[in-house]
Amino acid sequence: MPDPRRAKGRRHPLAFVLALAACAVLAGAKSLTAIAEWAADAPATALAALGGPSREPTGPTAPAEATVRRVLQRTDGDALDEAIGTWLAARDPDRPQPGRAEARRPPASLAVDGKTVRGDRRTDGTQVHLLAAMTGTGLVTAQREVDGKTNEITVFRPCSPGTT
């Protein structure tokens, strides 16, 4: 996944900043400021486990709020979604192995549903609506933003894996 920042002056790897943001949100952070505060309060062992570079004698340091804000605002959401989906798919224990006869079989089931993202509003006040396709094991194979009034059936075909 491409890093939206210039190469010059980067102190924190993109994966580290994104991992910090994910952990902060899972811990209850609801704003960019709260994400940066969570990261600043995280112990050095947590920062190291999330991939923080250790340039200081005391261990890794958290990025500043401005860094968190710039990275998250500039990150391509579709590219991030695809990177996470690919990473998760590679860890699916039920996925067919390449080169084996079972690799030609389609997944046993696929559930498709649309949901409104809670707590997220655009600057114009509208909410974000997502359509996701998930396997029986809980792996999201595809996800797409859709209009809130859209019929899920009409959007499902273009969202199918391999047709994006």
Side-chain angles (χ1 to χ4, degrees):
M1 145 152 204
D3 192 327
R5 303 171 292 171
R6 292 185 315 241
K8 183 179 179 185
R10 280 188 211 160
R11 293 186 61 211
H12 304 285
L14 177 63
F16 174 56
V17 178
L18 294 175
L20 278 173
C23 289
V25 169
L26 289 171
K30 295 184 187 224
S31 68
L32 294 171
T33 302
I35 290 170
E37 288 173 357
W38 183 91
D41 292 340
T45 54
L47 297 175
L50 293 172
S54 186
R55 294 185 184 94
E56 308 293 327
T58 58
T61 59
E65 179 185 354
T67 301
V68 172
R69 183 176 303 278
R70 278 192 305 270
V71 168
L72 294 180
Q73 287 177 339
R74 294 178 185 169
T75 297
D76 180 354
D78 290 335
L80 178 60
D81 184 41
E82 185 175 333
I84 292 171
T86 301
W87 182 82
L88 287 171
R91 281 142 187 83
D92 182 7
D94 295 332
R95 86 177 196 284
Q97 298 299 316
R100 296 173 81 181
E102 65 186 4
R104 290 182 284 282
R105 285 190 293 149
S109 66
L110 191 64
V112 179
D113 195 18
K115 296 292 178 200
T116 300
V117 179
R118 290 180 58 187
D120 189 27
R121 292 201 183 271
R122 294 188 186 89
T123 54
D124 65 359
T126 59
Q127 290 184 290
V128 175
H129 302 281
L130 298 175
L131 178 70
M134 183 177 4
T135 66
T137 61
L139 174 70
V140 175
T141 60
Q143 178 174 283
R144 164 169 299 167
E145 184 176 347
V146 296
D147 182 52
K149 306 263 188 230
T150 300
N151 182 334
E152 296 164 2
I153 295 170
T154 60
V155 180
F156 172 64
R157 187 168 182 82
C159 185
S160 301
T163 63
T164 323

